[in-house]
Amino acid sequence: MSAVINKEALLAKIAEALKRGRRRRFKQSVELIVVLRGVDLNKPENRINLLVELPHPPKPNKIAAFAHGAFEVNARNAGVDAVITRDQVEGLSGNKRAIRKLAKQYDFFIAPPDLMPLLGRVVGPIFGPRGKMPEVVPPNVEVKAVVERLKRAVRVRLRNEPVIKVRIGSEAQDPKEILDNALAVLEEVNRRFPLRQYLDDIYIKKTMGPPVKIRAAEALVK
């Protein structure tokens, strides 16, 4: 990535974004907005939904497990924030309000393969469009490793518009940590859409702050 992104220019814009706007009574998130050009989103293969692990997450994500049996034990031992049993899933059937509340309550969900048909039927219509469908954990995969990865991850999505919006940090963090997080996201985007060809603009902003624009000519190494 160092051969593509001008790290000094990006770091300067991050520092500028952190200074802009008035102080709030809460610690604002720092957001990365990547605007692409020339991406045909009518092609399903161009609609991405990726998980990127941040080197310096601002705070651990909240993880819930749909679980039963041995998987439930493993999920609890892995330190998930909540376990939702098969009976509880069945109890959610038809309760759209409760399912929406659940989707908002946790950042990521995990589940064993055998629960996915039930989950697809009960929570799928609401979880799917929100990008909240559980990550399937096969029996041969260590649950704790999956949970630890998800605690540090952000979701990178490209659906109806050629714009990617991702939280990459907190205003309380060192700008260099936020830079590392931004580079991790941009590296994954670059793998799917080479930035020298597809990048239009980058914006950095705090939750309530004005955006700081970085044109492709500034952001890319010449």
Side-chain angles (χ1 to χ4, degrees), residues 81-178:
D81 296 281
V83 169
I84 302 149
T85 65
R86 181 194 291 272
D87 289 344
Q88 289 173 316
V89 173
E90 292 173 345
L92 289 171
S93 184
N95 191 339
K96 293 182 179 180
R97 183 176 180 180
I99 296 170
R100 290 192 192 98
K101 182 179 178 180
L102 184 63
K104 290 180 181 179
Q105 198 170 357
Y106 300 98
D107 297 294
F108 295 102
F109 297 84
I110 61 173
D114 63 326
L115 275 185
M116 289 309 295
L118 174 64
L119 292 169
R121 185 172 69 254
V122 175
V123 305
I126 291 173
F127 273 40
R130 289 166 170 75
K132 288 293 186 80
M133 285 302 289
E135 175 152 343
V136 181
V137 184
N140 61 335
V141 173
E142 184 183 1
V143 178
K144 186 175 180 60
V146 175
V147 171
E148 290 301 316
R149 175 170 58 82
L150 291 178
K151 283 185 176 182
R152 305 174 65 89
V154 290
R155 191 177 296 279
V156 176
R157 303 182 77 193
L158 191 64
R159 297 182 66 200
N160 301 320
E161 297 179 321
V163 179
I164 294 168
K165 299 178 182 180
V166 186
R167 185 188 68 181
I168 55 167
S170 160
E171 64 177 337
Q173 288 185 273
D174 186 288
K176 291 183 179 178
E177 292 186 348
I178 299 172

Side-chain angles (χ1 to χ4, degrees), residues 200-214:
D200 196 354
D201 296 306
I202 293 174
Y203 295 85
I204 305 290
K205 68 180 295 293
K206 293 186 293 188
T207 307
M208 306 293 288
V212 174
K213 184 176 181 178
I214 316 169

